[in-house]
Amino acid sequence: MAMSLKQKPVFTGSNTCEIRPMEVYKDHGKVLVAVDCIIFGFDSKALKLLLFKRKVAPLKGHWSLIGAFINNELSLHKAAEKILFETTGLNNIFLEELQTYSKVDRDPGARVISVAFYSLIRLNELDLESVEKYDAHWFDFDQIPPLILDHGQMVQDAILKLRTKAIYNPVVFELLPHEFTIPQLQLIYECIHQKKLDNRNFRKKILAFNFLVKSDKKDKSGSKKGAFLYKFDKEKFKLFVAKGHRFEL
Amino acid sequence: MAMSLKQKPVFTGSNTCEIRPMEVYKDHGKVLVAVDCIIFGFDSKALKLLLFKRKVAPLKGHWSLIGAFINNELSLHKAAEKILFETTGLNNIFLEELQTYSKVDRDPGARVISVAFYSLIRLNELDLESVEKYDAHWFDFDQIPPLILDHGQMVQDAILKLRTKAIYNPVVFELLPHEFTIPQLQLIYECIHQKKLDNRNFRKKILAFNFLVKSDKKDKSGSKKGAFLYKFDKEKFKLFVAKGHRFEL
DNA sequence: GCAAAAGTGTTATCGCTACACCCATGT
DNA sequence: ACATGGGTGTAGCGATAACACTTTTGC
């Protein structure tokens, strides 16, 4: 064996590399693995989180993240994609692994290791039928109800991750419609960083990056005057990065 | 059931929350879970990676990360800590989850999901006996040999993570002795970012943060003149962050 | 006509970059 | 005495932050 540890039998078996028939594997850490999804959205006023109400006992009526056990047919990422598709009707959305949750007693029913993923979706593209079928509801960040197990912790971690990620990555565009206004964009950043920004400086800075493309259409939903619509140009952003620049906001 | 999906049996069971006796859980994604550790060090010249040579068939003689299957007694983080302690003799070291690796066929022997952790250690504190016992060797970043399974990918991902993390987090101090010189510190950043830095500007910037504490001792290992030793003051750093400042280098 | 949000420029300050020489010491 | 790496200051430039008024339009 590559590893012959002296202590508990935990690691006595082998390291991961052991390539052997199933008999060798079977004594080791066989556990259940689940995927849980933290789903973020933005409704032009506030950042929201999609939560699900359990319809059956036990814990009927409690709020939780959506999730599922995984089997042998899909990678974790694919499994998360599938869950998201089924609950939101959306494909090709921003989806990234957050981290694992593996406290031994986190699920009283069994040893379950859960891998949390967080995703950013465009509320305007959401399939309402799918959402209703799962008895899901959107919650403001500051009004998140108690969640089962360690889902509350997952949500806190995901929010923190989103905050820090948004500083150096233009992920917020995943939360906005493909066409959006500068004031909308600014509002997202204000929600995420929880402070007011100067609108003149914000405009200047974001437009100086040169990856926003102005259209000649206006969105009048936010004001009487109406605001011009812009698109985020991914290619221009990649070029920007390729030139050695760093995005930061 | 909270989820009643129509497709494959993958998710038909339940979401993670299901709290039930083992019978309910047993049909679902039972897989093996392993932990693999990417161990970084710095030898005052270059960034290094600790790799392990398999002593037994199959794949005898091949290089791999150190890892182990997990059982029901430890969280993944604790499991990784244990592996690190056994192979390096070190406790309380920087250890952070990288990500999961879960491609269905990544390990031909069984369905194994691996959770990679990366750690930063101080080479001067390393227990050489432990390391030798495991037939481990340090490799330069640009001389990493082929690794088994997807360990090569893990290493690449870890290096990238370390690079991006080091820009906004003072993690490099985890790689240096508790007392170090400014030139040593600069060298680490040069290794990580792979470019030369101006020593006057570097000094100015890092000292301006005000969380390095100068001692009156000199380290003469690097030059005849000798360079003053500094300490990283974690408390001062926390204060710096608490005041709303951002570290960036 | 007024309320409500969109849009626009300038100035002062700060931080970053670029750059070259003297210092201390071991050999 | 010389080779080696350690340590220091300044000036110009570019980026950021602070700040207030005009425009458009639905009601």
Side-chain angles (χ1 to χ4, degrees):
Chain A
M1 298 266 160
M3 298 180 58
S4 58
L5 313 186
K6 306 138 296 183
Q7 298 169 279
K8 296 187 194 164
V10 194
F11 306 112
T12 47
S14 58
N15 64 24
T16 323
C17 354
E18 219 75 49
I19 300 199
R20 300 216 178 156
M22 206 49 193
E23 293 83 58
V24 174
Y25 285 92
K26 77 177 174 205
D27 292 337
H28 306 295
K30 231 178 197 175
V31 295
L32 288 162
V33 177
V35 163
D36 287 303
C37 296
I38 296 111
I39 305 174
F40 291 114
F42 180 71
D43 75 348
S44 10
K45 288 244 170 90
L47 282 161
K48 303 265 187 175
L49 198 61
L50 192 60
L51 295 173
F52 296 79
K53 195 176 212 162
R54 285 178 62 79
K55 288 177 178 164
V56 296
L59 294 176
K60 177 169 175 169
H62 285 76
W63 294 100
S64 84
L65 296 171
I66 191 78
F69 288 111
I70 66 126
N71 72 349
N72 286 337
E73 289 162 34
L74 293 175
S75 70
L76 295 174
H77 197 278
K78 293 262 183 235
E81 276 175 13
K82 191 169 174 217
I83 294 173
L84 283 167
F85 177 69
E86 284 160 355
T87 50
T88 65
L90 297 174
N91 258 321
N92 283 323
I93 62 184
F94 177 92
L95 176 63
E96 202 173 83
E97 184 174 330
L98 179 62
Q99 62 170 98
T100 61
Y101 292 81
S102 61
K103 282 230 294 260
V104 173
D105 56 356
R106 59 177 288 279
D107 184 331
R111 176 76 201 275
V112 181
I113 288 175
S114 187
V115 184
F117 284 77
Y118 71 107
S119 62
L120 307 179
I121 72 172
R122 299 180 224 280
L123 276 189
N124 61 311
E125 295 180 353
L126 190 62
D127 176 18
L128 294 174
E129 253 184 60
S130 299
V131 175
E132 271 173 32
K133 197 167 56 202
Y134 287 97
D135 214 348
H137 294 268
W138 290 97
F139 288 86
D140 269 39
F141 274 23
D142 49 4
Q143 285 170 17
I144 292 166
L147 301 178
I148 63 164
L149 304 183
D150 49 6
H151 288 200
Q153 185 61 50
M154 293 180 184
V155 165
Q156 290 314 309
D157 293 343
I159 291 175
L160 188 63
K161 175 91 177 186
L162 176 60
R163 268 197 231 295
T164 54
K165 179 131 192 145
I167 296 174
Y168 307 109
N169 282 75
V171 284
V172 298
F173 298 108
E174 305 286 341
L175 290 164
L176 286 169
H178 290 288
E179 292 199 311
F180 52 86
T181 68
I182 305 286
Q184 277 170 6
L185 185 60
Q186 180 177 343
L187 187 55
I188 286 208
Y189 277 106
E190 289 178 338
C191 289
I192 289 182
H193 296 137
Q194 295 182 297
K195 69 174 176 188
K196 278 261 160 229
L197 300 173
D198 180 282
N199 61 343
R200 285 166 291 188
N201 292 336
F202 180 81
R203 265 190 128 75
K204 224 182 305 170
K205 191 167 184 181
I206 200 86
L207 291 174
F209 289 130
N210 253 314
F211 47 64
L212 292 194
V213 180
K214 188 175 183 176
S215 83
D216 49 5
K217 287 169 282 176
K218 278 196 168 187
D219 167 32
K220 297 220 168 191
S221 66
S223 73
K224 307 175 176 177
K225 183 177 177 182
F228 281 105
L229 287 163
Y230 288 78
K231 276 186 189 169
F232 173 65
D233 187 328
K234 234 174 209 166
E235 294 310 311
K236 285 193 175 176
F237 175 70
K238 281 183 197 160
L239 223 74
F240 170 85
V241 172
K243 278 184 194 158
H245 297 124
R246 279 188 205 158
F247 171 81
E248 180 179 338
L249 224 146
Chain B
M1 300 262 159
M3 297 181 60
S4 58
L5 313 185
K6 307 137 293 181
Q7 298 170 280
K8 296 184 194 168
V10 194
F11 307 112
T12 46
S14 59
N15 64 22
T16 324
C17 354
E18 219 75 49
I19 300 198
R20 300 218 179 156
M22 205 49 195
E23 293 81 59
V24 173
Y25 285 92
K26 79 179 173 201
D27 292 337
H28 307 296
K30 228 177 201 176
V31 294
L32 289 161
V33 176
V35 163
D36 287 302
C37 295
I38 297 111
I39 305 174
F40 291 113
F42 180 70
D43 75 349
S44 7
K45 287 242 170 90
L47 281 161
K48 303 265 187 178
L49 199 60
L50 192 61
L51 296 174
F52 297 78
K53 195 177 212 163
R54 286 178 61 79
K55 287 176 180 166
V56 295
L59 294 176
K60 178 172 175 168
H62 285 75
W63 293 100
S64 84
L65 296 171
I66 191 76
F69 287 110
I70 65 126
N71 71 350
N72 286 336
E73 290 162 33
L74 294 174
S75 71
L76 295 174
H77 198 278
K78 293 263 183 236
E81 276 174 14
K82 191 168 175 220
I83 294 174
L84 283 167
F85 177 68
E86 284 160 356
T87 51
T88 65
L90 297 175
N91 258 321
N92 283 324
I93 63 186
F94 177 93
L95 175 64
E96 200 173 85
E97 184 174 330
L98 179 61
Q99 62 168 100
T100 60
Y101 292 82
S102 60
K103 283 231 291 258
V104 173
D105 55 356
R106 58 178 289 280
D107 184 331
R111 176 77 200 275
V112 181
I113 289 175
S114 187
V115 184
F117 284 77
Y118 70 108
S119 62
L120 307 179
I121 71 172
R122 300 179 225 278
L123 275 189
N124 62 310
E125 295 180 354
L126 191 61
D127 175 18
L128 294 175
E129 253 184 59
S130 298
V131 174
E132 271 173 31
K133 196 168 57 200
Y134 285 98
D135 214 349
H137 294 269
W138 290 97
F139 288 86
D140 269 37
F141 274 22
D142 49 4
Q143 285 169 20
I144 292 166
L147 302 177
I148 63 164
L149 304 182
D150 49 7
H151 288 199
Q153 185 62 50
M154 292 179 185
V155 166
Q156 291 313 310
D157 293 342
I159 290 175
L160 187 64
K161 175 91 178 186
L162 176 59
R163 268 197 230 295
T164 53
K165 180 130 190 145
I167 296 175
Y168 307 110
N169 282 76
V171 283
V172 298
F173 298 108
E174 305 286 341
L175 291 162
L176 287 168
H178 289 290
E179 293 199 312
F180 53 85
T181 68
I182 306 286
Q184 277 169 6
L185 185 60
Q186 181 177 341
L187 187 54
I188 287 209
Y189 277 106
E190 289 177 339
C191 289
I192 289 181
H193 296 137
Q194 296 184 296
K195 68 173 177 190
K196 278 258 160 234
L197 300 174
D198 180 281
N199 62 343
R200 286 167 289 191
N201 292 336
F202 180 81
R203 264 192 131 72
K204 222 182 311 168
K205 191 167 183 179
I206 200 87
L207 290 175
F209 288 131
N210 255 313
F211 48 65
L212 292 194
V213 179
K214 190 177 184 174
S215 84
D216 47 5
K217 287 169 282 179
K218 277 196 168 187
D219 167 31
K220 296 218 168 190
S221 66
S223 73
K224 309 177 174 176
K225 183 177 178 181
F228 281 105
L229 287 164
Y230 288 78
K231 275 186 190 168
F232 172 64
D233 187 329
K234 232 173 212 170
E235 293 311 311
K236 284 192 176 178
F237 175 70
K238 280 183 199 161
L239 224 73
F240 169 86
V241 173
K243 278 184 194 157
H245 297 124
R246 280 188 204 160
F247 171 80
E248 181 178 337
L249 225 144

